[in-house]
Amino acid sequence: MLTRHADIDLTSLRWSMAVARSGGFRSAAASLGVEQSAISRRVRRLEDDLGVSLFHRSTKGVSPTNAGRRFLRRVEILLDSLGLAVADARLAGSGQVGQLRIGLTFSFLSEALYHLIDRFHGAHPDVLIEMVEGRAEEHLQAVADQRLDIAVLPGGMTVAGLDISILWREPLLVALPRSHRLSGIDVLQPNDLSGDRVLVSAGDIGLAVFEALGSHSGGLDIVVQEAGAVLLLEQARMGLGLTLIGSGSLKGLRLEPDLVLRPLSLKAVAPLAVAAAWWAGNDNPVLRRFVSAARRR
């Protein structure tokens, strides 16, 4: 390794390339907008440092020596690679390229969320988007450990050190058999559910449901189960109890013909809050662009 040449600067290399391409110091100086004497000194210093002559000089102009041709050929490759590296760094710094790791919970895979990710991908086609499914608590820890960039989860959850922002809210729906006494009512009130078992998941959707019901949850026969939305809907279809689900979470769920959905009154019950959590110290520019896109939505 020629460590004694480590002080060769890029300007000397670029100016030497300009001399070779233009065939003279005067024309190279004119194209670069610098003094001819400055280019001559730079090139001569470079030749002294390398210990070889890069150019034949004459009254008709200059031409590369054999050593100069070999050297400048590699310099051209180097400068091209450097230009690509700079361009790639700028794209990455602006969030146009890179990777985004998103933690998703099954109970919050809503139409709005799919639309958000789809639009972001359309605007940033060179960004690799990785989606990981799991429980909200697990995703929050993964965000804190920087194994995930962002997690979409129920509103109301907090973790020290993470930024959490509400993205949107969705009406809360009651799933019940078509033969149920409440199926003919267009909009239900919380006290309409009195006398029925209300099945709630112990997982992420359950946290959001309790937050949405607020004080009304105390007057209901709520049964918490270790079950997901699919199993809760099947139990509701069989008449084992009513269950609650966010309106945006219906995408991908198969709704049986003998099962109906009725909204809870928005005046009485707060809509489900869908939030995003990320670590403020995460310097991934793609994350910042995604958060901005989510907030604009």
Side-chain angles (χ1 to χ4, degrees), residues 10 14 75-91:
L10 289 175
R14 291 194 179 100
V75 168
E76 184 175 24
I77 296 173
L78 170 66
L79 294 179
D80 287 344
S81 297
L82 180 61
L84 291 174
V86 170
D88 187 63
R90 286 173 175 167
L91 284 173

Side-chain angles (χ1 to χ4, degrees), residues 45-162:
R45 192 182 307 133
L46 178 59
E47 290 177 319
D48 291 343
D49 192 43
L50 294 174
V52 298
S53 294
L54 297 177
F55 298 101
H56 296 296
R57 295 162 173 82
S58 69
T59 56
K60 296 180 179 180
V62 300
S63 61
T65 63
N66 180 58
R69 281 192 297 272
R70 294 173 63 87
F71 177 74
L72 294 172
R73 189 182 305 125
R74 292 185 179 274
V75 168
E76 184 175 24
I77 296 173
L78 170 66
L79 294 179
D80 287 344
S81 297
L82 180 61
L84 291 174
V86 170
D88 187 63
R90 286 173 175 167
L91 284 173
S94 66
Q96 295 294 333
V97 298
Q99 182 179 15
L100 181 68
R101 299 160 299 175
I102 309 174
L104 305 176
T105 61
F106 179 78
S107 53
F108 280 78
L109 298 182
S110 68
E111 186 80 35
L113 177 59
Y114 286 129
H115 184 61
L116 169 62
I117 295 175
D118 186 51
R119 286 192 61 185
F120 184 81
H121 175 63
H124 305 81
D126 294 322
V127 170
L128 175 62
I129 298 177
E130 178 184 355
M131 292 181 281
V132 180
E133 186 180 334
R135 295 174 68 96
E137 296 91 340
E138 298 168 350
H139 288 332
L140 286 173
Q141 188 59 53
V143 170
D145 295 341
Q146 298 186 62
R147 290 178 285 115
L148 289 175
D149 293 303
I150 191 169
V152 179
L153 40 81
M157 302 184 69
T158 59
V159 172
L162 298 186

Side-chain angles (χ1 to χ4, degrees), residues 3-285:
T3 55
R4 74 187 192 91
H5 300 315
D7 58 346
I8 294 177
D9 60 277
L10 289 175
T11 300
S12 296
L13 298 179
R14 291 194 179 100
W15 286 10
S16 297
M17 289 296 303
V19 171
R21 287 168 179 158
S22 61
F25 287 95
R26 179 179 299 176
S27 54
S31 66
L32 293 171
V34 298
E35 294 291 333
Q36 179 180 340
S37 58
I39 291 187
S40 297
R41 286 194 301 271
R42 283 269 188 175
V43 173
R44 180 64 69 184
R45 192 182 307 133
L46 178 59
E47 290 177 319
D48 291 343
D49 192 43
L50 294 174
V52 298
S53 294
L54 297 177
F55 298 101
H56 296 296
R57 295 162 173 82
S58 69
T59 56
K60 296 180 179 180
V62 300
S63 61
T65 63
N66 180 58
R69 281 192 297 272
R70 294 173 63 87
F71 177 74
L72 294 172
R73 189 182 305 125
R74 292 185 179 274
V75 168
E76 184 175 24
I77 296 173
L78 170 66
L79 294 179
D80 287 344
S81 297
L82 180 61
L84 291 174
V86 170
D88 187 63
R90 286 173 175 167
L91 284 173
S94 66
Q96 295 294 333
V97 298
Q99 182 179 15
L100 181 68
R101 299 160 299 175
I102 309 174
L104 305 176
T105 61
F106 179 78
S107 53
F108 280 78
L109 298 182
S110 68
E111 186 80 35
L113 177 59
Y114 286 129
H115 184 61
L116 169 62
I117 295 175
D118 186 51
R119 286 192 61 185
F120 184 81
H121 175 63
H124 305 81
D126 294 322
V127 170
L128 175 62
I129 298 177
E130 178 184 355
M131 292 181 281
V132 180
E133 186 180 334
R135 295 174 68 96
E137 296 91 340
E138 298 168 350
H139 288 332
L140 286 173
Q141 188 59 53
V143 170
D145 295 341
Q146 298 186 62
R147 290 178 285 115
L148 289 175
D149 293 303
I150 191 169
V152 179
L153 40 81
M157 302 184 69
T158 59
V159 172
L162 298 186
D163 287 343
I164 298 182
S165 178
I166 301 297
L167 299 182
W168 61 80
R169 298 180 183 272
E170 301 175 349
L172 194 59
L173 304 178
V174 181
L176 63 163
R178 191 174 297 277
S179 58
H180 194 277
R181 59 183 174 82
L182 299 177
S183 63
I185 302 176
D186 292 335
V187 179
L188 298 176
Q189 302 296 326
N191 57 10
D192 291 334
L193 309 183
S194 299
D196 286 278
R197 300 176 72 215
V198 180
L199 308 177
V200 175
S201 172
D204 311 305
I205 186 68
L207 298 174
V209 165
F210 274 103
E211 184 197 28
L213 288 174
S215 60
H216 297 292
S217 60
L220 300 178
D221 180 17
I222 296 179
V223 179
V224 179
Q225 295 189 346
E226 290 288 345
V230 174
L231 184 55
L232 291 178
L233 287 173
E234 182 60 24
Q235 292 185 72
R237 186 192 66 81
M238 293 187 292
L240 300 180
L242 312 181
T243 192
L244 304 173
I245 189 170
S247 62
S249 303
L250 296 176
K251 184 176 178 64
L253 291 177
R254 181 172 175 266
L255 201 63
E256 298 291 341
D258 50 353
L259 195 65
V260 298
L261 299 172
R262 295 291 180 263
L264 276 175
S265 170
L266 291 176
K267 293 182 179 180
V269 177
L272 288 178
V274 180
W278 65 94
W279 180 50
N282 189 330
D283 63 354
N284 183 357

